[in-house]
């Protein structure tokens, strides 16, 4: 499937994208609304605890920077993220915690790929992927599946509440129409946050360039 971007003039549409670790042991579906509509550069990012907004950003803190994590925060994690495999990530994936120890930097034990960061409760569910308009990479039907996802009950995606999901944009599979990270940066859809420990208190997101110690 050839990559096609050039979505900046189209109507924002919610659609599924496939993602995986390098060896394919970890597979997931993420729903994104593209083209993205970020806050104005002159506006502070939304602070609604229900996270009814979507964000793409890079963080300069040492865990994010050294892990090469490109943050994708969806509008509603329990609805927008489905793990196809493994179905028990907290037991089957490697786990690294740092700082307060509440957030799990999960990784594939075979290839080391880090697809997402998680805190909170998860659950398995039976879903019909065909009804959700999710197709495989060749356009074929995927039918009914057991998936793992963040548990919707009690979910409020703020680190203070213990609920958090950030998908690594670098692990979204390449060659999917409408997903091109270079276009995200060129269109200034990507925010930059300053959480570097040496810089003191966290500063507001900016969209023109990274803070000290960060990268485009």
């Amino acid at each position: 499937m050839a990559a096609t971007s050039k979505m900046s003039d189209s109507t924002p549409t919610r659609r599924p994208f496939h993602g995986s670790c390098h060896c394919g042991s970890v597979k997931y579906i993420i729903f994104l609304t593209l083209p993205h509509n970020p806050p104005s550069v002159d506006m502070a990012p939304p602070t609604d605890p229900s996270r009814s907004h979507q964000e793409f950003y890079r963080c300069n803190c040492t865990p994010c920077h050294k892990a090469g994590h490109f943050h994708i925060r969806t509008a509603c994690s329990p609805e927008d993220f489905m793990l196809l495999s493994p179905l028990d990530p907290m037991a089957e994936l490697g786990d690294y915690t740092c700082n307060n120890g509440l957030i799990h930097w999960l990784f594939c034990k075979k290839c080391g790929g880090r697809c997402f960061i998680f805190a909170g409760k998860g659950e398995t569910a039976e879903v019909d992927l065909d009804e959700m308009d999710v197709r495989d990479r060749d356009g074929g039907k995927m039918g009914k599946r057991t998936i793992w996802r963040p548990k919707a009950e009690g979910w409020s995606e703020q680190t203070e509440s213990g609920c958090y999901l950030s998908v690594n944009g670098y692990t979204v599979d390449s060659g999917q129409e409408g997903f091109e990270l270079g276009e995200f940066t060129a269109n200034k859809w990507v925010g930059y946050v300053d959480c570097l420990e040496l810089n003191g208190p966290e500063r507001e997101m900016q969209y023109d360039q990274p803070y000290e110690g960060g990268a485009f």
Side-chain angles (χ1 to χ4, degrees):
M1 183 182 299
T4 304
S5 54
K6 309 301 182 184
M7 294 188 66
S8 57
D9 296 327
S10 59
T11 302
T13 304
R14 181 179 180 270
R15 54 168 294 186
F17 292 92
H18 289 262
S20 62
C21 65
H22 188 260
C23 72
S25 296
V26 181
K27 292 184 174 68
Y28 65 85
I29 300 292
I30 185 172
F31 285 86
L32 299 174
T33 298
L34 297 174
H36 181 57
N37 184 26
S40 166
V41 173
D42 298 325
M43 295 172 55
T47 56
D48 181 354
S50 66
R51 286 202 58 82
S52 59
H53 60 284
Q54 172 183 272
E55 285 181 336
F56 307 132
Y57 62 91
R58 296 293 305 270
C59 177
N60 64 354
C61 77
T62 51
C64 291
H65 188 74
K66 289 180 180 291
H69 192 88
F70 184 104
H71 290 269
I72 294 182
R73 305 285 298 279
T74 64
C76 181
S77 294
E79 296 180 3
D80 294 332
F81 181 79
M82 299 185 297
L83 191 64
L84 304 180
S85 65
L87 297 180
D88 189 357
M90 304 306 292
E92 297 181 62
L93 295 179
D95 188 8
Y96 174 70
T97 60
C98 57
N99 298 336
N100 58 20
L102 297 178
I103 298 179
H104 300 269
W105 295 69
L106 302 171
F107 60 91
C108 173
K109 293 180 179 180
K110 183 176 181 181
C111 70
R114 298 177 181 272
C115 291
F116 63 102
I117 307 170
F118 183 74
K121 296 181 179 179
E123 64 179 359
T124 56
E126 298 291 329
V127 298
D128 191 325
L129 296 177
D130 295 341
E131 289 184 355
M132 304 170 76
D133 201 29
V134 177
R135 300 290 185 262
D136 64 24
R137 290 300 307 275
D138 296 321
K141 294 184 176 182
M142 298 185 68
K144 295 181 179 180
R145 292 280 189 94
T146 301
I147 57 96
W148 179 96
R149 64 189 178 194
K151 190 173 183 178
E153 182 181 359
W155 186 268
S156 176
E157 194 163 341
Q158 299 291 309
T159 53
E160 293 82 2
S161 68
C163 299
Y164 180 90
L165 175 75
S166 176
V167 175
N168 186 356
Y170 291 130
T171 66
V172 176
D173 295 342
S174 61
Q176 297 182 87
E177 181 181 356
F179 190 92
E180 179 56 57
L181 288 178
E183 183 180 73
F184 289 15
T185 302
N187 289 339
K188 295 188 181 297
W189 294 348
V190 181
Y192 301 97
V193 296
D194 183 23
C195 295
L196 185 63
E197 296 84 349
L198 298 176
N199 291 349
E202 180 178 345
R203 289 184 278 183
E204 291 184 352
M205 189 178 296
Q206 63 184 22
Y207 289 83
D208 53 346
Q209 64 182 7
Y211 283 103
E212 305 94 309
F216 282 100

